[in-house]
Structure formats: C-alpha cells, structure tokens
Amino acid sequence: MKLYIKYMVSLRCKLFVKYELEKLGLHYTSVELGMIEIKEDISELQKQELKSNLAISGLELMDDKRSILIDKIKNVIIEMIHYSDEVPKVNYSDYIAQKLNYDYTYLSNLFSEVKGITIQHFIIKHKIERAKELILYDELNLTEIAYKLNYSSVAHLSHQFKKVTGHTPSFYKKIGKKRKSNLENL
C-alpha cells in the first residue's frame, strides 16, 4: 500500500516517518521523499494516528489525487536538484515526465493551475537555492557549480542568480565569507 506525504523533503523527514511507522507496528518496504510503501493495509485508526503524529512535525498525509501529483512533481525536482550528483541526460521536462509517467504538458498545466507558478520557475528557484548552498560551502568554483546545476555557462547561472536574488554570485560569496568571519570572531 502506498501513502503520500506532503512537505517530506529531507533525509530527516524520512527518518521521522520511519520512526512513526515503526511506532504503529507498520512494516515499510520503501520510504522515499513524499511517498511510503507499507507491506500491510493500514486501518483507519492507524491512518488517523499516523496523520496526527506527522502533523506535529509539519508533515501531512495526503488523500487528494491532484495534491499527490503536485507533491510528486515537487519531490522529483527537489531530489533532482538537491540530492542527485548526476546531471540529467535529457531536458527537465522529459526527465519529470519519464519519472512520473505522465505527459509533461498535463503536469505543467496542473502545476501552474494549482501552485500559481510554472514548473520552470519552481526549478529555477530550487537551482538558485542549491547554487547558494554550494557557494557558501566554498568547495566548488562557479564553473563547477554551473555544470553541476546543468547551466550552459557561468554567465547564464550568474544572470539567473542575480534575477532571483538581486545579487551576483560573487557578491553573495563575499557576504557569506563576511558572516562566517563575524561568527568566528564572536
């Protein structure tokens, strides 16, 4: 049996969900971002208890099919950008459509209708968030970050970065170093 969970976007969330399932005596075969698969059927009582326990930590058990699909789209994008070291071999729209086994136009229209932004804007937002993390980690240069996030060039990354944040990547890096220096001096 598959259950879908909203706001499940990190490894910590996965650990929490596993813990809650074990508390209820449920055996899982898979716990992925946004989705769990359990071996047995879940009783209504167990479902309500799981729902309230998840809500305590900001997670939500979902029933609505449209919400479930939107969450699947978001989780594919988040996993692709934040947790995968591989650059997709196909463009993002093909990758998402293949992963979810739906026509991309349908997914795109549904996402825009429900979320009020396009899938492309959601991807850009997350790519820039990931770029900010990588810049602050200071382990990769901008060329490596641009490649890792599937940008055609450093200029393209810099342009989108400035458009989204209002700052250039180098300015953002300086701010990060200044904050780090200030924290070390406390």
Side-chain angles (χ1 to χ4, degrees), residues 5-132:
I5 301 173
K6 193 172 185 177
Y7 309 122
M8 188 175 165
V9 295
S10 70
L11 298 177
R12 186 174 291 155
C13 292
K14 285 171 73 171
L15 291 173
F16 178 75
V17 169
K18 285 179 182 179
Y19 171 75
E20 289 300 328
L21 291 171
E22 288 166 3
K23 254 178 37 179
L24 291 170
L26 296 169
H27 304 91
Y28 55 86
T29 55
S30 173
V31 177
E32 300 300 323
L33 295 179
M35 193 264 303
I36 56 176
E37 196 166 340
I38 54 176
K39 292 180 181 178
E40 57 272 300
D41 285 334
I42 187 170
S43 73
E44 197 54 43
L45 182 63
Q46 286 174 314
K47 193 174 189 177
Q48 288 309 313
E49 192 171 339
L50 179 62
K51 194 173 193 167
S52 65
N53 290 348
L54 292 176
I56 291 168
S57 67
L59 300 175
E60 184 181 319
L61 198 56
M62 295 189 302
D63 296 323
D64 174 40
K65 291 190 185 312
R66 284 169 43 113
S67 295
I68 290 169
L69 188 52
I70 295 296
D71 221 52
K72 282 182 180 180
I73 295 167
K74 289 168 40 179
N75 286 330
V76 164
I77 293 167
I78 289 166
E79 196 168 296
M80 172 181 65
I81 294 170
H82 292 277
Y83 299 108
S84 177
D85 286 332
E86 281 185 36
V87 176
K89 306 280 187 261
V90 295
N91 65 34
Y92 290 131
S93 57
D94 290 341
Y95 179 81
I96 294 165
Q98 287 171 6
K99 278 291 237 189
L100 298 177
N101 206 21
Y102 276 91
D103 175 66
Y104 181 76
T105 303
Y106 170 73
L107 294 174
S108 177
N109 289 337
L110 177 66
F111 192 89
S112 295
E113 179 187 322
V114 173
K115 299 303 290 175
I117 64 168
T118 65
I119 288 177
Q120 191 61 34
H121 279 98
F122 188 80
I123 290 170
I124 290 168
K125 187 174 106 176
H126 279 275
K127 284 173 74 171
I128 297 306
E129 283 305 310
R130 182 70 174 134
K132 286 163 61 176

